[in-house]
Amino acid sequence: VQLQASGGGLVQPGGSLRLSCTASGFALDAYATGWFRQAPGKEREGISCISSSDGSTSYADSVKGRFTISRDNAKNTWLLQMNSLKPEDTAVYYCAAENRRRCPAIGITVSDFGFWGQGTLVTVSS
C-alpha cells in the first residue's frame, strides 16, 4: 500500500495550488481519504476529509471556504484545491487514507488514519 502526494510548491499570497494523492495497492472506494498539514514546530493538523460512502466532506475552520477536497475513485486519486492561500498555510501537506466509509463525525486526527503519503511542501510567500 502506497500513497503518493504531489503538487506542492512556492506560491504568492492569494494564489492557488492543487495537491494530488494517488493510492496504489488497494481500491480507494472503501476508504475515507483526507489531508493533513504540519508547519514547523507545530503538530500535524487535520484539514479535510472526504467519505467514500457518499462523498460528504469536512474541513477545518482554518481552511473552510478556501480549500476543496475531491476524489476520483476510478483513478484512485484525491485532490485538494487550495485557493486564496495565506502565509500561514505554509506547511508540509500529507495525504492519508483509512479503511472506513465515512469520515469522523467531528474533526479528523492523526489516529483516524492508518495509511500516509510522504508529504509535499507548500510555501506561501511573496
Side-chain angles (χ1 to χ4, degrees):
V1 174
Q2 282 191 323
L3 306 183
Q4 182 70 44
S6 62
L10 173 64
V11 63
Q12 292 187 340
S16 298
L17 278 177
R18 188 176 71 171
L19 304 183
S20 176
C21 189
T22 300
S24 59
F26 64 93
L28 197 58
D29 56 359
Y31 285 70
T33 55
W35 290 95
F36 289 71
R37 67 185 181 187
Q38 189 165 18
K42 294 188 176 181
E43 294 187 352
R44 194 168 296 190
E45 172 192 18
I47 57 174
S48 187
C49 183
I50 183 167
S51 297
S52 64
S53 57
D54 60 1
S56 58
T57 58
S58 63
Y59 298 92
D61 288 343
S62 58
V63 305
K64 199 171 294 182
R66 300 187 298 121
F67 291 10
T68 302
I69 190 171
S70 61
R71 59 190 282 161
D72 185 338
N73 288 344
K75 296 182 179 179
N76 251 27
T77 295
W78 60 107
L79 307 175
L80 186 69
Q81 178 66 43
M82 305 186 295
N83 298 329
S84 302
L85 283 161
K86 306 174 181 179
E88 51 263 44
D89 294 318
T90 295
V92 177
Y93 284 70
Y94 297 89
C95 58
E98 180 57 35
N99 189 0
R100 56 186 298 168
R101 297 189 68 80
R102 296 190 63 84
C103 295
I106 302 176
I108 58 173
T109 64
V110 170
S111 61
D112 291 321
F113 291 83
F115 301 100
W116 293 85
Q118 83 288 3
T120 184
L121 177 62
V122 172
T123 303
V124 185
S125 174
S126 55

